[in-house]
Amino acid sequence: MVRMLAGQRMAGRIVETEAYVGVRDRACHSFKGRRTPRNESMYASAGTFYVYFTYGMHFCCNVVCGEVDEPIAVLIRALEPVDGINQMRTHRDNRQRHALRETDLCSGPARLCQALGIARPENGLDLITSPNLWIEPASEAARLRDIRCGPRIGISTGNVWATRLLRFGLRDHPCISVPFLATRRAPRIAS
DNA sequence: ATGACGATTTACT
DNA sequence: GTAAATCGTCATA
């Protein structure tokens, strides 16, 4: 994931994500086809950026994945800082009491948005054409056998959607927000 | 108009 | 481990 800000380049390797699979998913903002000003960008074309504000203080970001009017998205949960680490650190330390380890700069959905300067203005951006924010192939592709899956984080609704294995990440990576408990390899295709 | 809550993070005991 | 921070959003009335 690459971010241009103030003429400088920041980049991080995506090491953790969660899937939000649309109108049937109780934990998804578009559950039951709910369409509001907040989640409007979920209904746009694949490659659209969906940024939302939560807990009165945090932003989190998603990549929209479905067809137009099919509100499916992937939450970006953690990055391994690669480029522009000093700028990331500045954004994070500014609001912080103690200096941060590099592995903590982007190890959470709100942390990475803070580090990359992602907030309300970035909601609805087209990641395919934007000069300021895009996703490109990693220098080295992850091996499927190194990808773990597990339940999504912070889903409170007591039903099957809280336990489905829709969080994915790189095995034992130090920048993951929460460790994967059981050793479950990701399926070839997430259903 | 109102109130309950949230796809989180941080500090403190 | 527990709790506070902090406010936009949305369902309900």
Side-chain angles (χ1 to χ4, degrees):
Chain A
M1 186 169 192
V2 185
R3 169 68 162 155
M4 299 300 299
L5 191 63
Q8 302 201 72
R9 173 193 158 101
M10 291 180 279
R13 180 188 187 198
I14 298 172
V15 295
E16 183 188 351
T17 63
E18 278 176 4
Y20 286 85
V21 297
V23 300
R24 67 207 170 106
D25 178 356
R26 280 198 98 79
C28 184
H29 289 165
S30 59
F31 178 55
K32 283 183 171 171
R34 204 160 86 203
R35 185 167 186 161
T36 68
R38 173 174 77 153
N39 69 7
E40 179 61 30
S41 53
M42 286 191 87
Y43 289 79
S45 58
T48 300
F49 210 44
Y50 169 45
V51 180
Y52 68 91
F53 182 65
T54 190
Y55 288 101
M57 64 191 95
H58 297 304
F59 292 94
C60 299
C61 68
N62 300 253
V63 179
V64 174
C65 299
E67 299 295 316
V68 171
D69 290 336
E70 184 189 20
I72 292 170
V74 169
L75 174 71
I76 310 298
R77 287 197 57 91
L79 305 177
E80 172 192 324
V82 174
D83 290 329
I85 295 173
N86 288 341
Q87 198 182 15
M88 291 180 186
R89 190 180 293 284
T90 298
H91 291 145
R92 295 271 291 129
D93 282 346
N94 271 349
R95 311 191 203 171
Q96 196 91 12
R97 188 157 309 211
H98 302 293
L100 290 165
R101 294 189 302 253
E102 186 170 315
T103 52
D104 289 332
L105 289 177
C106 300
S107 57
R111 290 173 173 178
L112 73 91
C113 284
Q114 187 180 317
L116 297 189
I118 291 166
R120 208 175 298 278
E122 284 66 42
N123 183 40
L125 277 188
D126 181 355
L127 298 176
I128 297 169
T129 59
S130 172
N132 298 317
L133 192 59
W134 67 90
I135 293 174
E136 61 188 36
S139 55
E140 193 177 352
R143 296 177 301 189
L144 181 61
R145 66 174 175 278
D146 290 332
I147 300 177
R148 294 291 175 263
C149 63
R152 293 177 291 187
I153 304 296
I155 306 300
S156 56
T157 53
N159 61 63
V160 61
W161 291 102
T163 56
R164 284 195 61 180
L165 307 182
L166 292 174
R167 181 168 77 111
F168 303 91
L170 284 184
R171 171 178 73 161
D172 298 331
H173 196 285
C175 297
I176 294 285
S177 66
V178 181
F180 289 91
L181 298 181
T183 297
R184 297 193 188 96
R185 288 191 190 181
R188 204 165 293 278
I189 296 171
S191 57

